[in-house]
C-alpha cells in the first residue's frame, strides 16, 4: 500500500506572515517550481491584503493538486516573530480530507518546535511508511483516506435541491465534456459545490477536470485552456464577462445557470434530457436515499445510455458512429444531437 499511495505526495512548503505584515515563502521540501510557487502564494490568504481568512483551500494547477492550511499563531510559541503561517502540500491526487488532516499535524509540530525540521521528518515518514505518529499531535494513517471517500464527500442532493430540473444542464455539459465555470464570492462555497459535480458522471471517476479555485491571470487561464472540458471555480465576478472561458456559466449565489450562445446547439434539451432530469430530481428528493444512492441511480441511467450508444456504434463500420448512421434510427432531433456529441466525447465517432 505505502509504495503507491505515498508516492502521490510531491512536496511540503511553508509561507509565513511576520510581525511587520510581510508574507514570504520561507521553506519547502524537496522543491517547487517557480511558476507553481507564484500560484501557491496567490492562493494563500496571507498574501491577499488581510481580507478574508481561510483555514483550508485546495485547487489544481498544471496537473498538480495543492492544499493550503493557514493558522494564526497564538502566544506564546516558539514562533515569536510570526503572526500567521500556511502549510502548503502538493500532490498528484485529489483528496482534501487526507491532506487537511496531515497538514493539521504538521501545523501543530511547527507551532511547538518553531522549525521546519520536524515537519520534514514527518513528511518523509508519511512518504516512506504511510503513517505519521506523534503523541500530542495526533496520528495520521494514509490508508484511512480512501479516494472514493473523497469523491463522495460532497452532497449531490444539495446541488439538486438548489437547481432542480436545471441540474440536467450540468449533467449534459459534463457528459459532453464541456467547459463549466462556477462563480461564488466565497471560496468555501465554491470548493464545496464544484467538488460534487464530477459525481454526475460517476462512470468516468475523473476529478482531473476539477479546477475549483482559479484566478483570472494569464498563467492560470493558459493552463485551464489546455483542458478540453472542465469545471472551474472563480471568486471574481468579472469571469461572467469571459464568455471565451465557458459553455455553461453557474452564478451560484443567485442559483442561475446560463448556456453560452456557442454551446446552445450541443446542449439543446429534448425528451431524453427530460427523462434523465426527472430521474435525478426524483432520486435526490427521496429522503430515504443517501447521496451515494443518488449517484448510483444517475450512474445506472448513464450506463444504460452509453450501452445504447455502444450498440449503435457496433452496427457501424469500425464500431464508430456517423451522423448518417444515427439519422437512420429517426431519433427526435435533440436526442440525435445529444447522442452525436456524446459519441464524440466518448471517442465513438468516426472523424
Amino acid at each position: 500500500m505505502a509504495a503507491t499511495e505515498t508516492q502521490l505526495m510531491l512536496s511540503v512548503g511553508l509561507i509565513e506572515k511576520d510581525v511587520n505584515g510581510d508574507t514570504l515563502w520561507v521553506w519547502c521540501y524537496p522543491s517547487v517550481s517557480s511558476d507553481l510557487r507564484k500560484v501557491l502564494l496567490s492562493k494563500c490568504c496571507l498574501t491577499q491584503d488581510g481580507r478574508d481568512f481561510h483555514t483550508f483551500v485546495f485547487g489544481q494547477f498544471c496537473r498538480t493538486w495543492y492544499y493550503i492550511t493557514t493558522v494564526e499563531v497564538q502566544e506564546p510559541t516558539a514562533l515569536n516573530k510570526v503572526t500567521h503561517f500556511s502549510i502548503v502540500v502538493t500532490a498528484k491526487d485529489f483528496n482534501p480530507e487526507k491532506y487537511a488532516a496531515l497538514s493539521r499535524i504538521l501545523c501543530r509540530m511547527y507551532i511547538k518546535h518553531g522549525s521546519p525540521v520536524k515537519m520534514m521528518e514527518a513528511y518523509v515518514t508519511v512518504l516512506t511508511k504511510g503513517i505519521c505518529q506523534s503523541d500530542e499531535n495526533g496520528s495520521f494513517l494514509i490508508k484511512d483516506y480512501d479516494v472514493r471517500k473523497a469523491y463522495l464527500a460532497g452532497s449531490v442532493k444539495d446541488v439538486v435541491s438548489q437547481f432542480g430540473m436545471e441540474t440536467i444542464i450540468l449533467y449534459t455539459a459534463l457528459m459532453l465534456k464541456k467547459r463549466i465555470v462556477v462563480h461564488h464570492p466565497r471560496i468555501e462555497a465554491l470548493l464545496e459545490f464544484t467538488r460534487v459535480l464530477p459525481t454526475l458522471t460517476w462512470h468516468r471517476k475523473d476529478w482531473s477536470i476539477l479546477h475549483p479555485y482559479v484566478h483570472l491571470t494569464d498563467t492560470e487561464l493558459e493552463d485551464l485552456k489546455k483542458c478540453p472540458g472542465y469545471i472551474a471555480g472563480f471568486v471574481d465576478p468579472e469571469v461572467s464577462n469571459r464568455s471565451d472561458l465557458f459553455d455553461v456559466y453557474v452564478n451560484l449565489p443567485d442559483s442561475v445557470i446560463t448556456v453560452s450562445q456557442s454551446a446552445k446547439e450541443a446542449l439543446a434539451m429534448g425528451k431524453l434530457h427530460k427523462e434523465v432530469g426527472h430521474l435525478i430530481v426524483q432520486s435526490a428528493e427521496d429522503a430515504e436515499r443517501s447521496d451515494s444512492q443518488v449517484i448510483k441511480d444517475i450512474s445506472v441511467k448513464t450506463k444504460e445510455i452509453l450501452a445504447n450508444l455502444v450498440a449503435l456504434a457496433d452496427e457501424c463500420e469500425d464500431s464508430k458512429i456517423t451522423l448518417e448512421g444515427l439519422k437512420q434510427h429517426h431519433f427526435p432531433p435533440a436526442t440525435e444531437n445529444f447522442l452525436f456529441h456524446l459519441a464524440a466525447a466518448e471517442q465513438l465517432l468516426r472523424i
Side-chain angles (χ1 to χ4, degrees):
M1 181 284 306
T4 53
E5 280 268 347
T6 54
Q7 281 159 9
L8 296 169
M9 268 201 309
L10 297 169
S11 72
V12 59
L14 178 65
I15 296 168
E16 286 183 346
K17 188 169 194 168
D18 63 21
V19 285
N20 304 318
D22 296 323
T23 301
L24 294 167
W25 180 282
V26 291
W27 174 86
C28 85
Y29 176 84
S31 67
V32 167
S33 71
S34 61
D35 272 358
L36 181 56
R37 185 181 299 196
K38 274 187 205 136
V39 169
L40 295 173
L41 275 163
S42 74
K43 302 299 172 192
C44 173
C45 61
L46 302 180
T47 62
Q48 296 166 4
D49 314 326
R51 277 172 293 188
D52 296 330
F53 184 78
H54 307 293
T55 50
F56 183 67
V57 298
F58 59 86
Q60 187 187 185
F61 176 72
C62 281
R63 304 192 78 81
T64 297
W65 285 98
Y66 58 82
Y67 303 92
I68 304 175
T69 301
T70 304
V71 294
E72 188 174 359
V73 178
Q74 308 287 348
E75 298 292 332
T77 69
L79 302 165
N80 52 5
K81 297 248 166 62
V82 177
T83 60
H84 303 78
F85 69 87
S86 296
I87 300 280
V88 185
V89 176
T90 67
K92 293 179 200 165
D93 62 328
F94 170 78
N95 202 322
E97 288 68 31
K98 171 166 81 172
Y99 294 110
L102 175 61
S103 300
R104 282 194 296 272
I105 291 179
L106 297 179
C107 284
R108 290 197 287 265
M109 283 180 171
Y110 190 53
I111 285 169
K112 186 181 177 189
H113 300 284
S115 138
V117 176
K118 288 284 180 201
M119 283 199 301
M120 186 179 87
E121 286 171 3
Y123 174 84
V124 171
T125 313
V126 172
L127 264 188
T128 51
K129 297 180 180 164
I131 184 167
C132 160
Q133 270 182 315
S134 63
D135 308 332
E136 72 284 7
N137 297 323
S139 66
F140 169 83
L141 283 162
I142 272 191
K143 65 176 171 53
D144 290 345
Y145 297 92
D146 176 56
V147 70
R148 279 176 65 93
K149 268 193 203 165
Y151 291 165
L152 295 166
S155 171
V156 73
K157 295 182 88 160
D158 286 355
V159 171
V160 181
S161 84
Q162 184 171 358
F163 289 101
M165 269 304 272
E166 290 213 312
T167 309
I168 189 61
I169 301 171
L170 301 173
Y171 171 85
T172 308
L174 287 159
M175 285 291 279
L176 302 183
K177 299 185 177 174
K178 296 294 182 188
R179 300 163 307 154
I180 300 173
V181 159
V182 183
H183 163 68
H184 197 290
R186 269 184 54 248
I187 180 60
E188 289 81 2
L190 209 48
L191 297 175
E192 190 182 339
F193 180 84
T194 55
R195 73 178 292 177
V196 179
L197 297 187
T199 60
L200 293 173
T201 46
W202 183 256
H203 67 290
R204 293 188 189 131
K205 294 186 185 58
D206 182 9
W207 264 252
S208 72
I209 61 170
L210 176 63
H211 299 258
Y213 188 18
V214 187
H215 283 107
L216 289 167
T217 63
D218 292 345
T219 317
E220 288 189 61
L221 296 182
E222 264 168 48
D223 178 50
L224 187 65
K225 284 175 178 175
K226 287 176 193 161
C227 315
Y230 50 72
I231 299 155
F234 292 81
V235 289
D236 186 347
E238 179 56 34
V239 72
S240 66
N241 301 319
R242 294 294 306 267
S243 55
D244 59 312
L245 295 176
F246 58 81
D247 300 307
V248 171
Y249 180 74
V250 182
N251 175 333
L252 207 48
D254 297 343
S255 305
V256 174
I257 297 178
T258 311
V259 176
S260 77
Q261 207 52 47
S262 59
K264 280 203 156 89
E265 185 253 338
L267 296 175
M269 299 290 152
K271 186 166 167 270
L272 177 64
H273 297 86
K274 201 172 176 182
E275 192 185 305
V276 179
H278 277 306
L279 177 134
I280 293 172
V281 170
Q282 211 174 344
S283 177
E285 284 179 350
D286 184 343
E288 301 290 304
R289 300 189 87 62
S290 66
D291 278 295
S292 54
Q293 283 171 316
V294 175
I295 291 163
K296 190 172 181 190
D297 289 344
I298 300 167
S299 180
V300 166
K301 185 64 185 171
T302 301
K303 282 182 177 149
E304 183 190 305
I305 293 168
L306 291 171
N308 290 338
L309 194 67
V310 170
L312 291 172
D314 286 344
E315 293 172 12
C316 305
E317 199 186 322
D318 344 316
S319 292
K320 296 280 185 186
I321 286 173
T322 60
L323 188 54
E324 292 69 42
L326 270 179
K327 284 192 181 302
Q328 289 167 11
H329 289 273
H330 305 293
F331 290 116
T335 301
E336 180 188 284
N337 181 42
F338 173 64
L339 292 174
F340 179 73
H341 286 96
L342 183 58
E346 294 288 331
Q347 275 114 33
L348 288 170
L349 194 66
R350 187 171 329 141
I351 309 294

